[in-house]
Structures are given as structure tokens and as C-alpha cells.
Amino acid sequence: MWVHDIDPLALELGPLKVHWYGLMYLIGFGAAWALGSWRARQPGSNWTEQQVSDLVFWGALGVVLGGRCGYVLFYHFDYFLNDPLWLFAIWEGGMSFHGGLLGVLVAIAWFSHRHGKRFFELADFVAPLIPIGLGAGRVGNFIGGELWGRPTDQTWGIIFPRAADGLGRHPSQLYEAVLEGVVMFAILWWYSAKPRPRMAVSGLFLLLYGVFRSSVEFFREPDEQLGFLAFDWLTMGQLLSAPMIVGGVVLLAIAYGRRAPDAVKR
């Protein structure tokens, strides 16, 4: 089995240290801006490139703030109780997708109010722009040798030195990069290329992410400080993804259950 020995630093110039994980965030935000701008230029999009730039900025802010708050509250709430100021210790790392999603939803709600657009008009527009960032983030996790998978004797298993046990483990970060990044982007980009009932794109995003994340959790090592939450298999990632699956199904049912679907122009 291959021993993971990738340097997490992409660049080091004196006190300046640039991590691959940070660059992956830039790739994700850059891809969202580029794809959103391209769609804004399409006939009948009802979007301007300036609106896309503003939305990406506020969305990025929501990702960072929500991701940090979610990580602290969902995964290290005991640290927060002992030291509430640890919430702001962003230099120690720690981000949560589910917290970042909540942050993005807040940004969308604020943006929709300010620009006079309906909430799901924004959400449906944003959903296909997210997966590339998710995939890039998981690649960043892999390069950093963190959030590794459970032990395996398969030939593609990888030994992560930070696990400190010498066991070959599933590269679950790459599983997530493929499903949450490549596969989900391909499905959502294709699906949203034509007018769909309002809420449908958002619902499909929630459903796909919830299913993909819950599936990969069976190969991912549960967080050490939490372990399994119940039944010797339920993880925090699965618990937080369950409402997304339910919400996705509900939104799709509402979207296609209307007599006159309110199609979103792309």
C-alpha cells in the first residue's frame, strides 16, 4: 500500500505559507464565479455578471463563517462550552460542509431581499455552481492527509501517517471528491441546463449530496471525539445529511406537484 507523504504546503516563502487546502477554496470560488458568469450571459438568464460576482462574494463569506461555526457546534461543542472564543481560532483549522451550507442559505436570503429576487430563484441558480468547490475541497483533505477512511486490505488502501496506526485505509476523501464533485456537478449542470420547476434544482442538490455523503460515511472513519452516534454505524455526517435527503424529496415533490410549474429560465 502507498504511504501518504504529500506536502500540504503548496508554497512557502519565509513566513508566508500557502496550503493546498486554501488553494482548493480559491478554485471552488473561482469556478462558481466563472460558471455563474457564463450562465448570466445566456439569453433570458435574468442575471447580470455583476450580480453573480456579488453573490459569489457573499456566498464565500457564508461558506467560511458558516463552515467554521458548524464545525465548532456540530463536532467540537465541548470545546466551545469550555472556551467560547475558540470559535474564532480559525488558524487551528476546522470546517463543516453542513455549517457552510447554512451560511450560504443565509447569504442567499439576504441577497434575495436586497436584489428583489425570490429565494429559490437564487438557490436554483447557485446549486449547480457548488459541486466543483466540494470536489476541490475533498482533494484538499486528501492532500492534507486528513479525514481519512476506515481500515481496508484492498490494494488501493493508503497508509495515512497522521492516523498513527500504520493501517491501510480507504481514501474516502477521493470517493467524496468523485461523487460530490464530478458526478454531482455533471448531473446538476445537465439537469439545470433546461427550464425546470422552481425548487427542483435545489431539491435535487440536497437529495444528491445527502445520499452521496451518507454512502461514503460507511467508508470514512468517524470523528474520533464523537465516534458512532448510534447503532454502531450512524455518524454525525449521516445524521446531518438525513434532513437534506428529506428536504430534497419534499422540494422535488412540491416542484413537480404543482399544476402549473414555475419554470426557472437559465
PDB file of all heavy atoms in Angstrom, residues 87-108:
ATOM      1  N   LEU A  87     -14.167  29.567  19.014  1.00  0.00           N
ATOM      2  CA  LEU A  87     -14.924  29.686  17.769  1.00  0.00           C
ATOM      3  C   LEU A  87     -14.159  30.522  16.747  1.00  0.00           C
ATOM      4  O   LEU A  87     -14.256  30.281  15.538  1.00  0.00           O
ATOM      5  CB  LEU A  87     -16.288  30.328  18.052  1.00  0.00           C
ATOM      6  CG  LEU A  87     -17.179  30.660  16.852  1.00  0.00           C
ATOM      7  CD1 LEU A  87     -17.647  29.372  16.173  1.00  0.00           C
ATOM      8  CD2 LEU A  87     -18.381  31.491  17.288  1.00  0.00           C
ATOM      9  N   PHE A  88     -13.381  31.486  17.225  1.00  0.00           N
ATOM     10  CA  PHE A  88     -12.679  32.400  16.323  1.00  0.00           C
ATOM     11  C   PHE A  88     -11.239  31.965  16.037  1.00  0.00           C
ATOM     12  O   PHE A  88     -10.527  32.665  15.328  1.00  0.00           O
ATOM     13  CB  PHE A  88     -12.669  33.807  16.934  1.00  0.00           C
ATOM     14  CG  PHE A  88     -14.045  34.327  17.265  1.00  0.00           C
ATOM     15  CD1 PHE A  88     -14.523  34.288  18.566  1.00  0.00           C
ATOM     16  CD2 PHE A  88     -14.879  34.807  16.264  1.00  0.00           C
ATOM     17  CE1 PHE A  88     -15.787  34.753  18.884  1.00  0.00           C
ATOM     18  CE2 PHE A  88     -16.151  35.269  16.563  1.00  0.00           C
ATOM     19  CZ  PHE A  88     -16.605  35.237  17.871  1.00  0.00           C
ATOM     20  N   ALA A  89     -10.829  30.807  16.563  1.00  0.00           N
ATOM     21  CA  ALA A  89      -9.462  30.320  16.334  1.00  0.00           C
ATOM     22  C   ALA A  89      -9.374  29.614  14.982  1.00  0.00           C
ATOM     23  O   ALA A  89      -9.077  28.418  14.889  1.00  0.00           O
ATOM     24  CB  ALA A  89      -9.035  29.390  17.471  1.00  0.00           C
ATOM     25  N   ILE A  90      -9.628  30.374  13.911  1.00  0.00           N
ATOM     26  CA  ILE A  90      -9.690  29.784  12.575  1.00  0.00           C
ATOM     27  C   ILE A  90      -8.332  29.277  12.123  1.00  0.00           C
ATOM     28  O   ILE A  90      -8.262  28.439  11.222  1.00  0.00           O
ATOM     29  CB  ILE A  90     -10.246  30.802  11.560  1.00  0.00           C
ATOM     30  CG1 ILE A  90      -9.387  32.061  11.557  1.00  0.00           C
ATOM     31  CG2 ILE A  90     -11.694  31.133  11.878  1.00  0.00           C
ATOM     32  CD1 ILE A  90      -9.811  33.077  10.519  1.00  0.00           C
ATOM     33  N   TRP A  91      -7.243  29.764  12.711  1.00  0.00           N
ATOM     34  CA  TRP A  91      -5.910  29.298  12.322  1.00  0.00           C
ATOM     35  C   TRP A  91      -5.664  27.846  12.727  1.00  0.00           C
ATOM     36  O   TRP A  91      -4.745  27.212  12.226  1.00  0.00           O
ATOM     37  CB  TRP A  91      -4.842  30.203  12.949  1.00  0.00           C
ATOM     38  CG  TRP A  91      -4.943  30.294  14.444  1.00  0.00           C
ATOM     39  CD1 TRP A  91      -4.389  29.449  15.365  1.00  0.00           C
ATOM     40  CD2 TRP A  91      -5.681  31.266  15.181  1.00  0.00           C
ATOM     41  NE1 TRP A  91      -4.723  29.830  16.631  1.00  0.00           N
ATOM     42  CE2 TRP A  91      -5.509  30.952  16.552  1.00  0.00           C
ATOM     43  CE3 TRP A  91      -6.447  32.368  14.827  1.00  0.00           C
ATOM     44  CZ2 TRP A  91      -6.096  31.715  17.560  1.00  0.00           C
ATOM     45  CZ3 TRP A  91      -7.014  33.114  15.837  1.00  0.00           C
ATOM     46  CH2 TRP A  91      -6.850  32.802  17.176  1.00  0.00           C
ATOM     47  N   GLU A  92      -6.494  27.315  13.613  1.00  0.00           N
ATOM     48  CA  GLU A  92      -6.369  25.916  14.006  1.00  0.00           C
ATOM     49  C   GLU A  92      -7.093  24.982  13.040  1.00  0.00           C
ATOM     50  O   GLU A  92      -7.038  23.759  13.199  1.00  0.00           O
ATOM     51  CB  GLU A  92      -6.908  25.720  15.436  1.00  0.00           C
ATOM     52  CG  GLU A  92      -6.095  26.439  16.492  1.00  0.00           C
ATOM     53  CD  GLU A  92      -6.541  26.093  17.896  1.00  0.00           C
ATOM     54  OE1 GLU A  92      -7.267  25.079  18.055  1.00  0.00           O
ATOM     55  OE2 GLU A  92      -6.169  26.811  18.839  1.00  0.00           O
ATOM     56  N   GLY A  93      -7.778  25.552  12.045  1.00  0.00           N
ATOM     57  CA  GLY A  93      -8.470  24.730  11.047  1.00  0.00           C
ATOM     58  C   GLY A  93      -9.810  24.234  11.547  1.00  0.00           C
ATOM     59  O   GLY A  93     -10.185  24.407  12.706  1.00  0.00           O
ATOM     60  N   GLY A  94     -10.531  23.572  10.648  1.00  0.00           N
ATOM     61  CA  GLY A  94     -11.822  23.004  11.004  1.00  0.00           C
ATOM     62  C   GLY A  94     -12.963  23.688  10.287  1.00  0.00           C
ATOM     63  O   GLY A  94     -13.273  24.850  10.552  1.00  0.00           O
ATOM     64  N   MET A  95     -13.568  22.967   9.334  1.00  0.00           N
ATOM     65  CA  MET A  95     -14.706  23.480   8.582  1.00  0.00           C
ATOM     66  C   MET A  95     -15.732  22.368   8.436  1.00  0.00           C
ATOM     67  O   MET A  95     -15.382  21.193   8.361  1.00  0.00           O
ATOM     68  CB  MET A  95     -14.277  23.969   7.202  1.00  0.00           C
ATOM     69  CG  MET A  95     -13.311  25.148   7.215  1.00  0.00           C
ATOM     70  SD  MET A  95     -14.108  26.695   7.652  1.00  0.00           S
ATOM     71  CE  MET A  95     -14.974  27.054   6.120  1.00  0.00           C
ATOM     72  N   SER A  96     -16.993  22.730   8.391  1.00  0.00           N
ATOM     73  CA  SER A  96     -18.083  21.773   8.232  1.00  0.00           C
ATOM     74  C   SER A  96     -18.894  22.137   6.996  1.00  0.00           C
ATOM     75  O   SER A  96     -19.315  23.299   6.849  1.00  0.00           O
ATOM     76  CB  SER A  96     -18.989  21.777   9.470  1.00  0.00           C
ATOM     77  OG  SER A  96     -20.253  21.202   9.196  1.00  0.00           O
ATOM     78  N   PHE A  97     -19.132  21.153   6.120  1.00  0.00           N
ATOM     79  CA  PHE A  97     -19.959  21.440   4.945  1.00  0.00           C
ATOM     80  C   PHE A  97     -21.349  21.869   5.356  1.00  0.00           C
ATOM     81  O   PHE A  97     -21.906  22.831   4.804  1.00  0.00           O
ATOM     82  CB  PHE A  97     -20.063  20.222   4.039  1.00  0.00           C
ATOM     83  CG  PHE A  97     -21.199  20.346   3.059  1.00  0.00           C
ATOM     84  CD1 PHE A  97     -21.071  21.121   1.926  1.00  0.00           C
ATOM     85  CD2 PHE A  97     -22.426  19.731   3.310  1.00  0.00           C
ATOM     86  CE1 PHE A  97     -22.137  21.290   1.047  1.00  0.00           C
ATOM     87  CE2 PHE A  97     -23.497  19.886   2.432  1.00  0.00           C
ATOM     88  CZ  PHE A  97     -23.347  20.666   1.293  1.00  0.00           C
ATOM     89  N   HIS A  98     -21.956  21.147   6.291  1.00  0.00           N
ATOM     90  CA  HIS A  98     -23.341  21.444   6.656  1.00  0.00           C
ATOM     91  C   HIS A  98     -23.459  22.841   7.261  1.00  0.00           C
ATOM     92  O   HIS A  98     -24.435  23.555   7.016  1.00  0.00           O
ATOM     93  CB  HIS A  98     -23.867  20.381   7.625  1.00  0.00           C
ATOM     94  CG  HIS A  98     -23.920  19.012   7.026  1.00  0.00           C
ATOM     95  ND1 HIS A  98     -22.861  18.130   7.121  1.00  0.00           N
ATOM     96  CD2 HIS A  98     -24.876  18.384   6.307  1.00  0.00           C
ATOM     97  CE1 HIS A  98     -23.179  17.009   6.493  1.00  0.00           C
ATOM     98  NE2 HIS A  98     -24.396  17.133   5.992  1.00  0.00           N
ATOM     99  N   GLY A  99     -22.451  23.256   8.029  1.00  0.00           N
ATOM    100  CA  GLY A  99     -22.451  24.625   8.536  1.00  0.00           C
ATOM    101  C   GLY A  99     -22.262  25.620   7.416  1.00  0.00           C
ATOM    102  O   GLY A  99     -22.907  26.672   7.381  1.00  0.00           O
ATOM    103  N   GLY A 100     -21.372  25.286   6.468  1.00  0.00           N
ATOM    104  CA  GLY A 100     -21.168  26.158   5.319  1.00  0.00           C
ATOM    105  C   GLY A 100     -22.432  26.305   4.491  1.00  0.00           C
ATOM    106  O   GLY A 100     -22.737  27.387   3.977  1.00  0.00           O
ATOM    107  N   LEU A 101     -23.191  25.210   4.355  1.00  0.00           N
ATOM    108  CA  LEU A 101     -24.447  25.267   3.612  1.00  0.00           C
ATOM    109  C   LEU A 101     -25.429  26.215   4.284  1.00  0.00           C
ATOM    110  O   LEU A 101     -26.102  27.020   3.613  1.00  0.00           O
ATOM    111  CB  LEU A 101     -25.054  23.868   3.510  1.00  0.00           C
ATOM    112  CG  LEU A 101     -26.428  23.776   2.837  1.00  0.00           C
ATOM    113  CD1 LEU A 101     -26.344  24.241   1.381  1.00  0.00           C
ATOM    114  CD2 LEU A 101     -26.979  22.352   2.909  1.00  0.00           C
ATOM    115  N   LEU A 102     -25.521  26.145   5.601  1.00  0.00           N
ATOM    116  CA  LEU A 102     -26.411  27.056   6.320  1.00  0.00           C
ATOM    117  C   LEU A 102     -25.967  28.503   6.113  1.00  0.00           C
ATOM    118  O   LEU A 102     -26.799  29.404   5.957  1.00  0.00           O
ATOM    119  CB  LEU A 102     -26.423  26.707   7.807  1.00  0.00           C
ATOM    120  CG  LEU A 102     -27.063  25.366   8.181  1.00  0.00           C
ATOM    121  CD1 LEU A 102     -26.923  25.110   9.683  1.00  0.00           C
ATOM    122  CD2 LEU A 102     -28.529  25.331   7.779  1.00  0.00           C
ATOM    123  N   GLY A 103     -24.647  28.721   6.110  1.00  0.00           N
ATOM    124  CA  GLY A 103     -24.132  30.062   5.869  1.00  0.00           C
ATOM    125  C   GLY A 103     -24.500  30.565   4.484  1.00  0.00           C
ATOM    126  O   GLY A 103     -24.852  31.729   4.311  1.00  0.00           O
ATOM    127  N   VAL A 104     -24.423  29.687   3.491  1.00  0.00           N
ATOM    128  CA  VAL A 104     -24.797  30.063   2.124  1.00  0.00           C
ATOM    129  C   VAL A 104     -26.282  30.379   2.040  1.00  0.00           C
ATOM    130  O   VAL A 104     -26.696  31.322   1.353  1.00  0.00           O
ATOM    131  CB  VAL A 104     -24.421  28.940   1.131  1.00  0.00           C
ATOM    132  CG1 VAL A 104     -25.030  29.207  -0.242  1.00  0.00           C
ATOM    133  CG2 VAL A 104     -22.918  28.825   1.012  1.00  0.00           C
ATOM    134  N   LEU A 105     -27.115  29.603   2.735  1.00  0.00           N
ATOM    135  CA  LEU A 105     -28.557  29.864   2.720  1.00  0.00           C
ATOM    136  C   LEU A 105     -28.881  31.224   3.320  1.00  0.00           C
ATOM    137  O   LEU A 105     -29.764  31.939   2.833  1.00  0.00           O
ATOM    138  CB  LEU A 105     -29.291  28.759   3.478  1.00  0.00           C
ATOM    139  CG  LEU A 105     -29.247  27.371   2.848  1.00  0.00           C
ATOM    140  CD1 LEU A 105     -29.981  26.352   3.725  1.00  0.00           C
ATOM    141  CD2 LEU A 105     -29.851  27.389   1.443  1.00  0.00           C
ATOM    142  N   VAL A 106     -28.159  31.594   4.375  1.00  0.00           N
ATOM    143  CA  VAL A 106     -28.350  32.925   4.962  1.00  0.00           C
ATOM    144  C   VAL A 106     -27.940  33.997   3.959  1.00  0.00           C
ATOM    145  O   VAL A 106     -28.637  35.010   3.795  1.00  0.00           O
ATOM    146  CB  VAL A 106     -27.532  33.064   6.264  1.00  0.00           C
ATOM    147  CG1 VAL A 106     -27.545  34.516   6.754  1.00  0.00           C
ATOM    148  CG2 VAL A 106     -28.094  32.142   7.337  1.00  0.00           C
ATOM    149  N   ALA A 107     -26.810  33.776   3.267  1.00  0.00           N
ATOM    150  CA  ALA A 107     -26.346  34.739   2.265  1.00  0.00           C
ATOM    151  C   ALA A 107     -27.356  34.864   1.130  1.00  0.00           C
ATOM    152  O   ALA A 107     -27.626  35.974   0.642  1.00  0.00           O
ATOM    153  CB  ALA A 107     -24.976  34.310   1.723  1.00  0.00           C
ATOM    154  N   ILE A 108     -27.931  33.750   0.705  1.00  0.00           N
ATOM    155  CA  ILE A 108     -28.934  33.777  -0.362  1.00  0.00           C
ATOM    156  C   ILE A 108     -30.176  34.540   0.087  1.00  0.00           C
ATOM    157  O   ILE A 108     -30.739  35.344  -0.675  1.00  0.00           O
ATOM    158  CB  ILE A 108     -29.301  32.340  -0.780  1.00  0.00           C
ATOM    159  CG1 ILE A 108     -28.139  31.696  -1.548  1.00  0.00           C
ATOM    160  CG2 ILE A 108     -30.565  32.326  -1.639  1.00  0.00           C
ATOM    161  CD1 ILE A 108     -28.382  30.248  -1.916  1.00  0.00           C
TER     162      ILE A 108
END
